[in-house]
Amino acid sequence: MPYVERQLSEQPRQPERVRLPNLSFGIYLPKEFITNQQIEQWGIKTQSGKLLTASDIQKKIGIERRFIAGPNESVIDMGIRAALAAGNLEDIYAVFASTSYPIGKNVSREIGRHLQIEPKFHLDIHAACSGFVRGLAYMHEREEEFQGKKVLFVASEKYSHTLADLRKPEGIITDSSMAQVIFSDGATAMVFTYGKDIRVLAHKSKKLPKESENYIRMPIDRLLMTSPFLEESVPCSTNGLLQQDGPKVFETVLSNVPDLNREVIEELGITSFDRNLTIPHQASGRMLTGLAKKMSEYNMFFDIDDGNFSSASIPKAFARAIKEGKIQRGYKILLSGFGAGLYASSAIVELG
C-alpha cells in the first residue's frame, strides 16, 4: 500500500481510541494547532475596534485551540489514521465517508482500498456539518440492507485551506474571517454492527427557511464529487473562501433546530431524556449555550475545546462522552446536526 506508507510515515499525533465492547471509535487530530494566545499576538481588532484577546475568544467561542492539517495531509489520510485507531476492521460490509469538500476521489472507496477492506457497499456524504447524522438517517431508511451488518463510518474534514487568514493585513475582523477562530481539521472513525451495537430509532431532516440557505457559503466544486455520493447542497462562495453570517446562522438554528429535535423525540413517545444525552453539532460555545437554554429539559454534552470539526464533531463528542462514562449500553442518544445549507438532521440512536 505505497500511498498509505508514504502519507503515514510523517510522525503524526498519536490517534485516540475509545471502545465499548463492540463499538469502537478512533479520533485523529493533526500535529499542528493554533491557540487563543497565538491569535491574540496577531493584534486583530474587532468591528468595534477592540483588540481580540485570548480571554474574549474563550468567553464567546469556547474554543481553546484549533487543529490544522498539513498541506499534503488529505481527508483520506486523516480518515485512514482515525480508522486504524478504531480498529476492529475485519468483515466490514459498508464504508461511509462524510466530508464537506469533494476532492476528485471517492473518499469511502479510497479509505477502504488503502485499509485493504473490500466492502459490499460504500458511500460519500457531502452534507457539511450534518453529514454524520445524515449518514445514520440513510441507514435507518434502508434498514433491511444494513441490519446486522458491520459498518465503518469515517467523518474527515479539512477546512483550514478555505478560511480567511486573520494574519493578513486587511485588519478588522468580520463574521466570515472569524471562521478561522472556529474551525478545526481532523477525523473521527466509528466501527459498529448496525442494529446490534447501535440502532437508529427515529430521524428527521429538513431544510431550514429558504431565505437562510445563503447564510453560509462554501467553495465547493461539485465537479469533484465522485459516485457513489449523497449530497445536501450548499451555496458556493463568491471569493473561494468560506463565507458566513454568524449572527443570522445563530438566530436561524436556535429558531428551528430545538423544535426539530422535539419532533424526533415525540415521534418515539419519549417523555424524559434526563438520564440520556443530547449531542449536538459542536459549532461553538455560544451556539451550544444557546441550544442548552432552548432545550433546558435535555442533558446536553459539550466537547468544544478543540474547535468545530464540521461533520466529525458529533462522532468525536460521542466518543468523548463514552470515555467520560456519560453513555452506557441501553442509553438513547439524541444526535443533532445542523449547518451549511442551512440543513439540519436529527436522530435518536440506542446503544446495544
Side-chain angles (χ1 to χ4, degrees), residues 19-57:
R19 282 193 172 181
L20 285 175
N22 295 305
L23 175 65
S24 58
F25 293 84
I27 300 171
Y28 172 73
L29 304 179
K31 188 175 180 181
E32 301 299 326
F33 60 90
I34 298 173
T35 66
N36 292 344
Q37 288 72 26
Q38 287 173 295
I39 293 175
E40 180 176 324
Q41 291 172 6
W42 297 348
I44 306 301
K45 290 186 178 179
T46 66
Q47 288 173 316
S48 65
K50 181 184 175 185
L51 184 69
L52 185 65
T53 68
S55 62
D56 288 338
I57 297 170

Side-chain angles (χ1 to χ4, degrees), residues 204-233:
K204 282 185 178 292
S205 298
K206 67 179 289 186
K207 278 276 192 181
L208 302 187
K210 179 72 176 173
E211 63 271 15
S212 69
E213 67 179 5
N214 289 318
Y215 293 167
I216 302 175
R217 291 176 168 270
M218 299 169 65
I220 292 176
D221 185 348
R222 289 182 173 80
L223 295 177
L224 296 178
M225 292 182 181
T226 55
S227 295
F229 67 86
L230 171 67
E231 180 195 10
E232 299 297 344
S233 63

Side-chain angles (χ1 to χ4, degrees), residues 91-232:
D91 304 317
I92 297 291
Y93 173 81
V95 177
F96 285 78
S98 173
T99 190
S100 296
Y101 293 105
I103 61 172
K105 295 180 181 180
N106 189 272
V107 177
S108 57
R109 180 188 292 119
E110 291 297 306
I111 288 175
R113 182 167 70 87
H114 292 303
L115 292 173
Q116 296 184 323
I117 294 171
E118 296 181 2
K120 297 290 192 295
F121 177 94
H122 65 90
L123 181 71
D124 281 9
I125 301 169
H126 302 297
C129 304
S130 299
F132 177 72
V133 184
R134 183 64 186 90
L136 293 177
Y138 182 94
M139 283 181 239
H140 188 231
E141 291 162 353
R142 295 162 178 80
E143 278 195 331
E144 288 186 4
E145 177 173 3
F146 297 105
Q147 186 72 25
K149 305 292 176 56
K150 196 171 178 184
V151 176
L152 166 63
F153 198 135
V154 175
S156 187
E157 299 286 10
K158 185 173 181 178
Y159 270 66
S160 54
H161 64 298
T162 72
L163 307 177
D165 193 340
L166 292 171
R167 286 164 287 194
K168 291 187 177 177
E170 281 77 9
I172 297 186
I173 197 169
T174 65
D175 288 324
S176 287
S177 57
M178 194 70 168
Q180 191 185 30
V181 178
I182 296 171
F183 284 97
S184 273
D185 300 335
T188 306
M190 181 176 175
V191 179
F192 59 94
T193 298
Y194 183 84
K196 178 183 176 184
D197 305 322
I198 195 167
R199 183 164 67 106
V200 180
L201 302 179
H203 79 272
K204 282 185 178 292
S205 298
K206 67 179 289 186
K207 278 276 192 181
L208 302 187
K210 179 72 176 173
E211 63 271 15
S212 69
E213 67 179 5
N214 289 318
Y215 293 167
I216 302 175
R217 291 176 168 270
M218 299 169 65
I220 292 176
D221 185 348
R222 289 182 173 80
L223 295 177
L224 296 178
M225 292 182 181
T226 55
S227 295
F229 67 86
L230 171 67
E231 180 195 10
E232 299 297 344

Side-chain angles (χ1 to χ4, degrees), residues 67-106:
F67 289 83
I68 303 172
N72 297 317
E73 190 171 37
S74 73
V75 291
I76 295 172
D77 303 324
M78 293 189 290
I80 289 168
R81 288 178 174 134
L84 288 171
N88 193 21
L89 296 172
E90 302 80 17
D91 304 317
I92 297 291
Y93 173 81
V95 177
F96 285 78
S98 173
T99 190
S100 296
Y101 293 105
I103 61 172
K105 295 180 181 180
N106 189 272

Side-chain angles (χ1 to χ4, degrees), residues 274-347:
D274 59 345
R275 193 171 59 85
N276 300 282
L277 274 189
T278 296
I279 303 179
H281 166 48
Q282 306 291 302
S284 71
R286 181 169 178 257
M287 183 70 81
L288 291 171
T289 300
L291 285 171
K293 288 179 180 177
K294 286 274 190 174
M295 300 180 64
S296 58
E297 66 269 41
Y298 304 124
N299 183 14
M300 194 165 293
F301 186 74
F302 285 51
D303 178 43
I304 193 62
D305 290 355
D306 292 334
N308 175 339
F309 291 84
S310 190
S311 70
S313 80
I314 289 179
K316 175 176 170 288
F318 202 155
R320 292 281 170 80
I322 290 173
K323 187 175 182 179
E324 293 177 19
K326 291 185 166 66
I327 294 178
Q328 300 176 20
R329 296 177 68 179
Y331 273 29
K332 295 177 178 66
I333 316 300
L334 171 63
L335 307 176
S336 176
F338 52 84
L342 280 172
Y343 178 83
S345 189
S346 299

